[in-house]
Amino acid sequence: MDNQMQNIDRLLDVIDRAYSGPIVDEKEFDHKYVAASVTRAINKYQVVFDKDQIIQNDDDLIDRVWQAALDFLETCGIYHADTQRLIRFNRNEIESAIEAAPAKVTIGEGRDARVFSTRKVEDTRPPLVGGGPIGTPLSEDQYIPIMQSYFQESILDIVVPGTLATSYGRKVRAKSPLEVISSWLEVDLVKQAAARAQRSGLSVMGVEMAMSDLGHLSAISRGGYRPTDIHIVALISEMKTNNELLNKAAHSLHQEGIILGFYNPILGGLGGGAEGVAILILAGWIAMHLIYMPASVESCPTHPFLANSTFPDIMRAISVVSAAVSRNSHLLSEFMTSPVSGPGTESLLYECVAMASVISACGGSRALGVRSGVGVVENHCTGLETRFNGQVAHAAAGLSREQAEEIVQKAIAKYQPVMDQKPVGLPFSQAYDLESMQPTAGWSQVYEQVKDEVIGWGLPIK
């Protein structure tokens, strides 16, 4: 039996369980199954992080967090919101799904093809680098040049589009013909931007305009995104799925597409602090391998008020998750740099230094970024910050966790005082010259100054 049919058979089993598992009220699942099970796992495995360190380097603790996540997943299960039933798996099934996950996958085509493979803690091999506006709203008139600014960055191995603020001048509505039309418009504009940068073979992660399964199913079909592109299927926070998400997985599996499972736990939510967030990420990642059969998994844990991923407690969790995956499995992992700051600001670059260093030194397979200004301010994003994020991730490969920790702490001291101010910086039209498609002198100067400074900290950016 080929891999596609094996995955289809596994999905059919998931669907059967979604319609036959025990019925549970959603609020009961949130509190009795998720919150209570996280607390029990933390206590059972004595999971306590060192608050004086960002990068946790106690390998015994890291391995206990991995075991806590397996225990939590087996106890909690996955909630199917449409059937209001639990999808549950035993430990053997969980471990079999981890073993069946790919250790490498080829993305992209031709000279832009890349092999995405697992890394170890303190691995000297650099992670792959993904970048793009990542869901940031982009105006229709600026969409192609903004996307071109990312495609032309040679360090990028994959590009993630922004979202269209409007589609043919119209507000996009979910589950309407406008969602389908805007999803296809995304494909068309992204392809134009890639062609301008002469990187049409580069893998693209989509569909960003797919607010429901309609946009996803249409735009990854014939003439849309390719099987060598990345098809996003998310898990709902916390530990939930539904028919729309399973529809996406079913279609992508039949397309023989490369699925990325995306899961975003919320700091201070049902999982509590950093320890609970780490357990939830690991459990969610493994859960997605059970129900979606992805090639890789990604997370951007979110601060409840700042909406960023560069908050210290979040990076503590990320350091543990990256190392736990690297030490205990061959899963392909990715984390996103989602800073509070925007283009033209020093603080944006310092946030990149902190996050990309954590990801790289702790064994992350791919560093993704930058969702500038947490992706909510129209056109506030440029290719330059994704270049820098990638350069940091490459430079941090091979650093010890202790060396990376020193750099991360220095970076946090630079940006933490301004996080509450949310310095969103400049729009693309003020940060880039639209004729030369290069950063303005001012934005370039900020970049060069910060780059030189962090090189002095011991980060060997080439």
Side-chain angles (χ1 to χ4, degrees), residues 313-324:
D313 257 351
I314 290 175
M315 291 192 295
R316 287 188 183 94
I318 287 171
S319 77
V320 170
V321 173
S322 291

Side-chain angles (χ1 to χ4, degrees), residues 52-56 400-410:
D52 293 328
Q53 297 283 111
I54 298 298
I55 296 178
Q56 308 293 298
S400 70
R401 283 175 287 182
E402 291 79 8
Q403 290 172 319
E405 171 73 12
E406 291 182 10
I407 292 167
V408 170
Q409 290 284 5
K410 289 178 180 178

Side-chain angles (χ1 to χ4, degrees), residues 413-428:
K414 291 284 189 176
Y415 71 77
Q416 192 166 23
V418 302
M419 276 201 299
D420 289 341
Q421 300 171 27
K422 299 182 179 180
V424 296
L426 303 172
F428 181 80

Side-chain angles (χ1 to χ4, degrees), residues 76-365:
C76 177
I78 306 150
Y79 189 73
H80 191 287
D82 291 318
T83 64
Q84 298 183 315
R85 294 178 183 269
L86 283 183
I87 304 172
R88 307 191 84 163
F89 299 91
N90 62 40
R91 181 61 69 92
N92 287 337
E93 291 170 323
I94 291 169
E95 292 177 349
S96 294
I98 295 169
E99 185 61 31
K104 64 179 180 179
V105 63
T106 299
I107 60 175
E109 297 177 345
R111 64 185 179 89
D112 293 313
R114 300 289 186 273
V115 177
F116 184 23
S117 59
T118 54
R119 295 175 67 246
K120 295 300 181 184
V121 176
E122 300 176 1
D123 203 322
T124 58
R125 296 171 302 138
L128 288 193
V129 176
I134 315 174
T136 300
L138 309 181
S139 60
E140 292 185 66
D141 64 316
Q142 295 284 298
Y143 195 94
I144 291 176
I146 290 175
M147 289 308 307
Q148 182 185 341
S149 79
Y150 291 92
F151 275 104
Q152 69 190 19
E153 293 294 342
S154 60
I155 200 168
L156 287 188
D157 303 299
I158 184 171
V159 168
V160 188
T163 59
L164 287 154
T166 59
S167 180
Y168 299 102
R170 294 165 174 81
K171 180 181 178 180
V172 181
R173 293 173 173 82
K175 298 186 178 182
S176 77
L178 281 170
E179 181 185 345
V180 175
I181 289 169
S182 64
S183 295
W184 277 104
L185 181 58
E186 174 190 314
V187 172
D188 180 52
L189 297 180
V190 166
K191 287 184 176 181
Q192 289 185 52
R196 286 191 182 189
Q198 299 182 358
R199 299 195 73 190
S200 294
L202 200 64
S203 185
V204 176
M205 189 185 297
V207 181
E208 289 294 312
M209 291 304 297
M211 294 173 280
S212 73
D213 50 353
L214 284 179
H216 181 92
L217 270 61
S218 63
I220 66 164
S221 299
R222 184 178 62 190
Y225 287 126
R226 306 156 295 188
T228 53
D229 291 321
I230 306 297
H231 305 168
I232 305 170
V233 184
L235 191 68
I236 303 167
S237 298
E238 306 292 350
M239 302 298 295
K240 298 173 186 176
T241 190
N242 58 29
N243 280 337
E244 282 192 12
L245 294 168
L246 290 169
N247 287 345
K248 291 182 180 183
H251 188 60
S252 291
L253 290 171
H254 273 289
Q255 294 277 323
E256 297 187 85
I258 301 169
I259 295 176
L260 176 137
F262 181 74
Y263 178 46
N264 243 21
I266 300 168
L267 180 69
L270 295 175
E275 292 86 352
V277 168
I279 291 171
L280 281 174
I281 295 170
L282 288 168
W285 278 1
I286 299 166
M288 290 189 289
H289 276 286
L290 284 157
I291 64 175
Y292 300 149
M293 285 64 74
S296 62
V297 284
E298 179 197 325
S299 186
C300 180
T302 303
H303 190 277
F305 308 116
L306 298 173
N308 65 329
S309 67
T310 55
F311 191 78
D313 257 351
I314 290 175
M315 291 192 295
R316 287 188 183 94
I318 287 171
S319 77
V320 170
V321 173
S322 291
V325 167
S326 297
R327 287 177 54 81
N328 294 277
S329 77
H330 58 255
L331 300 184
L332 295 167
S333 66
E334 176 178 64
F335 279 101
M336 183 196 302
T337 301
S338 182
V340 170
S341 310
T345 66
E346 292 181 355
S347 53
L348 166 60
L349 301 180
Y350 292 128
E351 290 185 73
C352 291
V353 169
M355 177 61 78
S357 295
V358 170
I359 296 167
S360 186
C362 295
S365 310

